[in-house]
Amino acid sequence: MSSEKPIPSRFEENLQFKQVAGPATYSNTTDGPVVYLSVADRTGSVIGYVWANDQDDAAGWVVPPGLSANAVNAGGRWVRALRAGKARQLAPTALLAELARGMNDGRQSHAVPGSLSEAPTLAVLKERALGG
């Protein structure tokens, strides 16, 4: 007779992740055109793009590859601005307009003046971020 206790069957089940609560967020994908804003660090180097599409209630942050840790960290305030905009129930492009007016600028990063632009798709913007 073995002295080992049997493993309860509940420990052998495959658990399924199901998020039941959390902050509201914009969709992170769209197939339509996007309006975007370039964001630069204090040296003037572009560290990312905030984009928006009202039709799909979508908005997000696209980061170019190869950034320094400080540049990546500076992008955090723009991700937080997206969450705050959704919490205030702003349309994605209304939030982008606020950001373009400098509402989220700080010591580490700022919206590039006059950089509000449009791309035919999110994929095109991501390609731009890659330097293509």
Side-chain angles (χ1 to χ4, degrees):
M1 182 164 188
S2 172
S3 64
E4 291 183 35
K5 293 183 180 179
I7 298 173
S9 63
R10 71 178 183 270
F11 292 123
E12 295 176 355
E13 296 175 15
N14 287 328
L15 299 178
Q16 301 296 318
F17 177 76
K18 181 179 178 185
Q19 185 172 344
V20 294
T25 59
Y26 294 113
S27 173
N28 63 0
T29 185
T30 180
D31 292 327
V34 296
V35 179
Y36 67 93
L37 177 66
S38 300
V39 175
D41 64 12
R42 60 177 142 185
T43 68
S45 298
V46 173
I47 61 167
Y49 304 92
V50 183
W51 61 268
N53 172 289
D54 285 344
Q55 184 178 13
D56 294 323
D57 194 38
W61 173 247
V62 175
V63 181
L67 294 178
S68 69
N70 285 339
V72 171
N73 289 339
R77 82 180 292 118
W78 300 91
V79 173
R80 289 188 298 276
L82 289 167
R83 290 184 186 142
K86 182 63 176 180
R88 292 187 297 146
Q89 300 180 345
L90 287 177
T93 56
L95 173 62
L96 205 61
E98 278 188 6
L99 298 176
R101 291 191 302 271
M103 302 298 279
N104 198 48
D105 289 359
R107 284 187 20 225
Q108 300 298 320
S109 61
H110 63 276
V112 176
S115 69
L116 199 58
S117 302
E118 189 170 330
T121 65
L122 181 55
V124 170
L125 175 58
K126 288 180 178 181
E127 183 67 28
R128 176 185 176 137
L130 290 172

